Amino acid sequence: MIEPKESFRTEHDLIGERLEFMLGEMERIVAVESSAHPLEVRDLDRRIRNFGGEIQKMNMTAVARLSAYMRDRSRPYKSRLYAAAFLGLHGDAGGMTALRAAVLDPQEEPGLRTAALSGLGSLRVDQLTIRRTLEAAAADPVAPEMLL
């Protein structure tokens, strides 16, 4: 007897599904925070930060999805900030392109540019690559002060 296709899900599929769940949950939490008491916001933020440990253990599937999510301006700003932080936490060099693009994008929100810059420091890439990004950001006349 041949089993249905659903039973042949790959690790890539499972990681993708889990990450999609976490990103959806993150968006739901951020939506609730807009009308929550500051102490409740603190607890809700802690729930989001707790995803970091699980994301850190995921493979490149998570890096590609987080990169796309962070760059998607239709997503909630705070969720995009967390995506940038999680890319840095993951540490995979695959996050370099998205984080660098965010740092150097003058149309991007200053806070996201700063979060992306912070994430770059945690990637497992050569220091010269990061230095070049820092130099390019420093030469940008509209770079937020936090980048300089």
Side-chain angles (χ1 to χ4, degrees), residues 3-79:
E3 294 188 32
K5 284 187 176 183
E6 293 91 40
S7 64
F8 293 113
R9 294 186 323 192
T10 65
E11 179 183 8
H12 175 84
D13 296 332
L14 295 173
I15 288 172
E17 290 170 13
R18 179 64 184 152
L19 185 60
E20 286 302 318
F21 169 79
M22 287 189 285
L23 292 172
E25 186 66 14
M26 196 164 57
E27 286 190 16
R28 284 186 287 281
I29 290 170
V30 167
V32 168
E33 286 182 346
S34 64
S35 61
H37 184 276
L39 291 176
E40 187 179 1
V41 170
R42 182 191 63 194
D43 292 338
L44 291 168
D45 280 345
R46 186 175 303 121
R47 284 180 52 196
I48 294 173
R49 285 192 306 272
N50 286 339
F51 291 145
E54 188 173 347
I55 289 171
Q56 193 173 14
K57 296 174 189 171
M58 292 180 173
N59 65 19
M60 189 60 188
T61 301
V63 173
R65 180 64 185 108
L66 284 169
S67 294
Y69 187 92
M70 182 195 70
R71 298 293 292 153
D72 184 351
R73 290 190 172 125
S74 70
R75 300 298 185 169
Y77 173 66
K78 189 169 185 177
S79 296

Side-chain angles (χ1 to χ4, degrees), residues 116-128:
L117 184 64
S118 178
L120 281 175
S122 301
L123 297 183
R124 293 182 298 272
V125 297
D126 65 280
Q127 294 303 302
L128 181 60

